[in-house]
């Protein structure tokens, strides 16, 4: 009887151990947990003010950078820092303790970054610049005189008392934003592909009336992260200025005419 009880208890312990290991492995040691510090089995976010999407814009881009990946959005909450209940010194995407005396150099590109929050119609918007030589980013909170409508929109979300100021960006934000920015299709790259295709086959890509094309006034849209639709007007149209519409793939160098309404 003693041996039967011993083996019964032993088998029960082994079964419990296997179940516990399986639960721990699949619940706690989730791959995303190890990378981002959180499980990828995230509950639906309904808390007002929670960041659910981030958009980065620049005149240099063909399209816009948009991400709703919780591994990124959850890390950068606009309702943190001055004017909020979470007045942490290093929060949102900047270091609030180092208010800069002057703006970064005008040679640095400025990106418009919008944070879309649960419960708010308009996003919270800041400007962002990055200096690759110093590996340092900078964040600007729009002030009253910069863009009144934008300032008022931000104020409806949070009043910080430090608007109109530049701050150093957090390294974690630089690490998240710069790879997305560097990987984004630019107008310059798309136009270069288009011009190369036109140079190889000028007859195929001439304007509707054969007039010279005005590349400086080209407009862009995107159908994928690597393919742009480019509309190039005629410089001196002979008839109705139809110009040329074509696609350019910055990854393959492939081009083709497209029909547009």
């Amino acid at each position: 009887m003693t041996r039967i009880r011993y083996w019964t208890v032993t088998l029960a312990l082994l079964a419990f151990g296997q179940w516990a290991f399986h639960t721990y492995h699949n619940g706690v040691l989730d791959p995303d947990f190890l990378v981002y510090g959180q499980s990828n089995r995230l509950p639906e976010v309904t808390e007002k003010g929670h960041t659910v999407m981030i958009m980065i814009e620049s005149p240099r881009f063909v399209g816009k950078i948009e991400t709703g990946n919780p591994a990124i959005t959850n890390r950068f909450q606009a309702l943190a820092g001055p004017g909020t209940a979470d007045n942490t010194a290093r929060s949102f995407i900047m270091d609030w303790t180092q208010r800069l005396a002057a703006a970064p150099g005008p040679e640095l590109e400025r990106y418009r970054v919008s944070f879309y929050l649960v419960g708010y119609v308009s996003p919270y918007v800041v400007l962002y610049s990055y200096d690759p030589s110093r590996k340092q980013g900078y964040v600007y909170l729009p002030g009253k005189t910069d863009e009144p409508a934008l300032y008022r929109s931000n104020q409806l979300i949070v009043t910080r008392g430090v608007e109109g100021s530049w701050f150093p960006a957090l390294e974690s934000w630089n690490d998240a934003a710069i790879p997305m920015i560097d990987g984004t299709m630019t107008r310059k790259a798309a136009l270069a592909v288009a011009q190369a295709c036109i140079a190889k086959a000028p007859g195929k890509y001439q304007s509707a009336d054969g007039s010279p094309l005005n590349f400086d006034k080209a407009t862009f849209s995107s159908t994928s992260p690597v393919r742009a639709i480019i509309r190039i007007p005629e410089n001196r149209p002979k008839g109705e200025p139809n110009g040329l519409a074509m696609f350019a793939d910055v990854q393959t160098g492939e081009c083709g005419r497209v029909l547009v309404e």
Side-chain angles (χ1 to χ4, degrees):
M1 188 67 178
T2 303
R3 292 179 62 85
I4 294 175
R5 182 177 300 171
Y6 169 80
W7 286 111
T8 300
V9 172
T10 301
L11 290 173
L13 289 173
L14 287 173
F16 176 80
Q18 185 177 18
W19 171 84
F21 175 80
H22 178 79
T23 301
Y24 181 80
H25 178 75
N26 289 285
V28 178
L29 295 184
D30 185 272
D32 281 347
F33 182 92
L34 295 176
V35 176
Y36 302 110
Q38 61 191 19
S39 172
N40 66 351
R41 286 178 287 277
L42 295 167
E44 182 180 355
V45 176
T46 58
E47 181 184 357
K48 184 175 181 179
H50 192 90
T51 301
V52 290
M53 190 180 80
I54 299 173
M55 182 167 67
I56 304 175
E57 300 173 88
S58 167
R60 187 169 59 91
F61 298 159
V62 170
K64 304 172 182 177
I65 300 173
E66 294 180 339
T67 179
N69 182 354
I72 296 176
T73 58
N74 285 356
R75 297 164 62 194
F76 306 111
Q77 296 301 312
L79 292 187
T84 74
D86 180 14
N87 191 12
T88 307
R90 292 169 57 85
S91 58
F92 186 23
I93 64 171
M94 66 265 272
D95 184 347
W96 301 101
T97 67
Q98 299 186 48
R99 192 170 180 175
L100 302 179
E107 73 279 2
L108 299 181
E109 184 174 5
R110 295 185 181 181
Y111 306 94
R112 185 184 180 108
V113 187
S114 302
F115 295 82
Y116 290 82
L117 316 178
V118 173
Y120 291 93
V121 175
S122 299
Y124 188 80
V125 180
V126 301
L127 301 182
Y128 171 66
S129 289
Y130 183 74
D131 185 343
S133 64
R134 297 185 178 184
K135 296 184 178 180
Q136 177 62 60
Y138 306 94
V139 183
Y140 180 73
L141 297 182
K144 287 183 179 180
T145 59
D146 296 308
E147 193 175 332
L150 176 58
Y151 172 79
R152 289 194 296 270
S153 178
N154 278 357
Q155 293 295 294
L156 291 175
I157 298 174
V158 57
T159 298
R160 300 187 186 275
V162 290
E163 284 78 8
S165 303
W166 283 92
F167 297 86
L170 296 179
E171 186 176 354
S172 58
W173 169 251
N174 296 328
D175 290 344
I178 294 306
M180 291 191 290
I181 289 172
D182 288 345
T184 299
M185 177 172 52
T186 65
R187 296 185 177 198
K188 182 178 180 180
L191 191 59
V193 172
Q195 288 176 315
C197 290
I198 293 171
K200 290 179 182 177
K204 179 179 179 181
Y205 294 110
Q206 67 177 347
S207 66
D209 292 312
S211 304
L213 295 171
N214 190 337
F215 294 101
D216 291 335
K217 292 187 177 180
T219 59
F220 301 79
S221 60
S222 60
T223 59
S224 81
V226 296
R227 180 170 287 200
I229 301 297
I230 308 173
R231 295 169 178 81
I232 311 169
E234 296 171 78
N235 195 22
R236 293 184 298 276
K238 295 177 181 178
E240 185 179 351
N242 294 317
L244 169 68
M246 62 188 297
F247 77 81
D249 192 307
V250 298
Q251 190 172 68
T252 64
E254 180 186 6
C255 299
R257 294 189 73 124
V258 296
L259 296 176
V260 293
E261 296 181 357

